[in-house]
Amino acid sequence: MSKKLYIKTLGCAMNVRDSEHIIAELNKREPYKLTSEISEADLIIINTCSVREKPVSKLFSEIGVFRKYKKDNAKIGVTGCTASHLGEEIIKKAPIVDFVLGARNVSKLSKVIDRRHSVEVDLDYDDSNYSFGEYRSNRYKAMVNISMGCDKSCTYCIVPATRGKEVSIPPNLIVQEVRRAVEGGAKEVILLGQNVNNYGKYFSATGERLNFTGLLRKISLINGLERIRFASPHPLHMDDEFLEEFAFNPKICKQIHIPLQSGSTKVLRDMKRGYTKEWFLNRCAKVKELSPEVSISTDIIVGFPNESDEDFADTLDVLEQVRFNQLFSFKYSPRPHTKAATYPNQIPDEVASERLKILQNRHKEILDEIMSSQVGKVYSVYFDELKSGGKISGRSDDGKLFFVNGSEELLGEIKDVKVTKSARWALEGEVIN
Ligand code: SAH
Ligand code: SF4
Ligand code: F3S
């Protein structure tokens, strides 16, 4: 009988992909079956995120839950970003944990799995040339890492301290992986990195060197691949060459995440983002000019130290001008290993909460305006997930989520769908051909 694995993944798409790599590496040793029951598992893994404060305290309460429900001989592993920055402390605080494996150390899984209390969290470890085993939770859309780590030093962000320096994965390895995914049934890939459009600045191996635009061109030559998405580009590196490739390469989906963080040039400077409000607006205007059908999503932090009412008004102004199709918004959370945590003038929680509410409410209104004008429109939808109740879901080229009545035969297919009903976050429709 094969062993059972319970794996819980927190955080961003890179962590989701790391979890797939963990499963693939385990399966290289012996087959594991996934379970959603802690009490059935032989191995329990929590793949952590530390980008905001809550996930860290959540980790120790999760470990408490594992302790309560786990089988006697089941092992517990802590992986991911919190593993990277807390390291050994996790075992000191919770000796029930068997191993700690940091983000960017995933390829060392077999080193830690049989050695009780082993800790591998080397921030300089470089597995950019390592070929992971193949495991995908959804064979129709494939996540593919193109770089690891982050070379920026945004003053609020812990990621450089959990994922280390930026290294690009060689183009031939990326192409190989995309080809394999396409052979396995994927028509869509999502290229992942903390700053995808900084791709190519540093490779640790010799060989072909490309920048992000070059990589996009190369990947789009792969037969059978129909759609390319990526997350996230950095506003600073959005040069015209890249925006033109984005607009005119038909395989690149017209959906782009452009993380704003703040609309105030003063706050952006304090965050060390490297661009101004005007530059951000200029890049969004250029994207819209070249690709009028584009959907733009963003990340915004409110309540950054010293953020005044005027600064927040600048953020609202950018929201008004760009009219984002999706917004991920957060209250600033002071993190260890970050400069901003030591800044004076931290903003009281009530003020940050109020700003978050105002921002989210205005975004919802904008979204309702955008979505209520959708009925009757036709989109090309790629179906990638079966849902309950005879429904199947998919996404349009510009990233809108669709639900239609349908079954398995639509999976992996791209069809024209007419919108019959709209809601704030998703559309219903019928396949017309
Ligand atoms: N590399 C990506 C961001 C990864 S972190 C980029 O540069 O866009 C994902 C998001 O979490 C960030 O965009 C930011 O909005 C948010 N975030 C990061 N650190 C944070 C903090 N200390 N408090 C609140 N939100 C934070
Ligand atoms: Fe964090 Fe900035 Fe790097 Fe994004 S670019 S991961 S926000 S340091
Ligand atoms: Fe991702 Fe969270 Fe790490 S957002 S990079 S898993 S801190």
Side-chain angles (χ1 to χ4, degrees):
M1 228 175 58
S2 57
K3 286 192 175 167
K4 291 198 172 154
L5 168 70
Y6 171 95
I7 181 161
K8 178 159 188 168
T9 308
L10 308 168
C12 63
M14 300 212 79
N15 248 24
V16 175
R17 184 63 183 141
D18 284 350
S19 285
E20 292 185 343
H21 283 155
I22 289 170
I23 297 168
E25 290 303 296
L26 283 171
N27 283 334
K28 272 187 188 170
R29 296 161 46 96
E30 56 181 321
Y32 274 84
K33 265 193 133 160
L34 290 178
T35 176
S36 51
E37 295 296 327
I38 297 167
S39 59
E40 279 187 354
D42 301 285
L43 176 59
I44 297 166
I45 291 180
I46 179 156
N47 193 10
T48 57
C49 167
S50 30
V51 85
R52 281 167 295 276
E53 208 157 15
K54 270 192 210 125
V56 178
S57 47
K58 208 164 144 198
L59 168 64
F60 291 99
S61 62
E62 288 281 354
I63 294 171
V65 174
F66 298 157
R67 180 207 311 270
K68 189 162 168 205
Y69 294 105
K70 80 179 194 77
K71 287 201 297 201
D72 274 353
N73 52 356
K75 285 183 187 167
I76 299 178
V78 178
T79 64
C81 284
T82 313
S84 292
H85 83 99
L86 294 185
E88 227 167 329
E89 249 182 78
I90 296 175
I91 289 179
K92 281 199 189 125
K93 214 165 155 180
I96 194 155
V97 170
D98 288 275
F99 64 86
V100 174
L101 184 68
R104 106 182 257 157
N105 287 256
V106 173
S107 61
K108 292 189 206 155
L109 186 72
S110 54
K111 265 180 103 172
V112 294
I113 191 115
D114 295 323
R115 240 185 332 123
R116 188 160 157 74
H117 284 174
S118 48
V119 178
E120 292 285 347
V121 291
D122 184 0
L123 265 194
D124 298 322
Y125 189 65
D126 176 5
D127 56 11
S128 63
N129 297 292
Y130 183 83
S131 283
F132 284 98
E134 187 69 9
Y135 174 85
R136 299 196 173 276
S137 50
N138 182 326
R139 72 185 184 95
Y140 301 105
K141 53 176 178 194
M143 288 177 282
V144 174
N145 289 351
I146 65 164
S147 60
M148 47 203 286
C150 178
D151 264 0
K152 298 268 183 282
S153 38
C154 304
T155 55
Y156 53 83
C157 183
I158 196 173
V159 173
T162 67
R163 291 193 178 257
K165 286 262 167 230
E166 187 174 299
V167 186
S168 299
I169 294 170
N172 64 320
L173 279 186
I174 297 172
V175 167
Q176 218 178 68
E177 191 179 337
V178 175
R179 282 220 179 89
R180 257 193 294 165
V182 170
E183 281 159 19
K187 289 194 174 117
E188 177 174 312
V189 291
I190 307 156
L191 307 175
L192 297 180
Q194 288 303 339
N195 287 305
V196 283
N197 52 349
N198 201 35
Y199 179 81
K201 287 280 155 61
Y202 175 72
F203 293 97
S204 61
T206 52
E208 189 183 14
R209 275 161 158 60
L210 292 174
N211 66 9
F212 187 54
T213 305
L215 182 72
L216 287 170
R217 287 187 187 134
K218 193 175 174 91
I219 289 175
S220 59
L221 295 176
I222 295 173
N223 279 334
L225 180 68
E226 307 275 351
R227 290 183 167 198
I228 302 170
R229 299 186 199 272
F230 48 81
S232 301
H234 194 292
L236 185 63
H237 306 300
M238 290 181 53
D239 55 31
D240 286 356
E241 188 203 25
F242 160 68
L243 293 184
E244 279 159 20
E245 186 64 25
F246 176 80
F248 303 124
N249 183 329
K251 287 195 180 179
I252 300 180
C253 291
K254 301 303 173 263
Q255 172 193 22
I256 190 163
H257 185 72
I258 316 181
L260 169 66
Q261 312 304 358
S262 169
S264 151
T265 296
K266 181 199 95 194
V267 174
L268 287 169
R269 194 190 55 226
D270 292 348
M271 289 175 161
K272 283 219 166 69
R273 289 290 289 177
Y275 53 88
T276 58
K277 175 187 181 186
E278 288 66 35
W279 171 257
F280 185 91
L281 286 171
N282 169 287
R283 293 296 84 188
C284 289
K286 182 90 188 177
V287 175
K288 287 183 177 185
E289 177 199 321
L290 293 173
S291 320
E293 71 282 35
V294 72
S295 276
I296 303 179
S297 57
T298 201
D299 288 352
I300 290 175
I301 297 173
V302 297
F304 186 78
N306 213 19
E307 183 190 63
S308 65
D309 286 338
E310 293 73 40
D311 294 322
F312 178 60
D314 272 330
T315 299
L316 288 175
D317 183 43
V318 175
L319 182 80
E320 224 48 66
Q321 293 198 46
V322 181
R323 294 172 66 84
F324 299 103
N325 297 75
Q326 217 181 348
L327 167 69
F328 301 91
S329 51
F330 316 99
K331 271 193 285 185
Y332 166 71
S333 162
R335 309 303 297 122
H337 313 291
T338 63
K339 264 217 171 106
T342 63
Y343 284 178
N345 302 331
Q346 299 280 327
I347 302 294
D349 189 58
E350 317 82 77
V351 176
S353 297
E354 185 58 23
R355 287 179 185 164
L356 189 67
K357 206 163 77 192
I358 294 170
L359 181 75
Q360 291 178 341
N361 285 343
R362 182 60 195 132
H363 167 66
K364 283 179 195 160
E365 287 171 5
I366 292 172
L367 205 55
D368 285 342
E369 286 164 26
I370 296 173
M371 295 302 265
S372 62
S373 64
Q374 299 298 319
V375 173
K377 288 192 180 170
V378 175
Y379 285 93
S380 166
V381 174
Y382 177 49
F383 291 102
D384 55 28
E385 223 173 302
L386 269 185
K387 297 285 174 185
S388 56
K391 299 263 182 210
I392 183 162
S393 70
R395 288 200 184 260
S396 57
D397 180 273
D398 69 351
K400 291 191 175 67
L401 178 62
F402 273 79
F403 292 90
V404 307
N405 290 324
S407 54
E408 251 160 1
E409 65 267 20
L410 279 178
L411 271 179
E413 297 291 325
I414 298 175
K415 299 279 184 195
D416 284 343
V417 174
K418 190 171 181 177
V419 180
T420 53
K421 201 173 158 192
S422 75
R424 189 177 286 154
W425 315 112
L427 298 169
E428 281 182 37
E430 56 192 23
V431 175
I432 54 171
N433 67 57

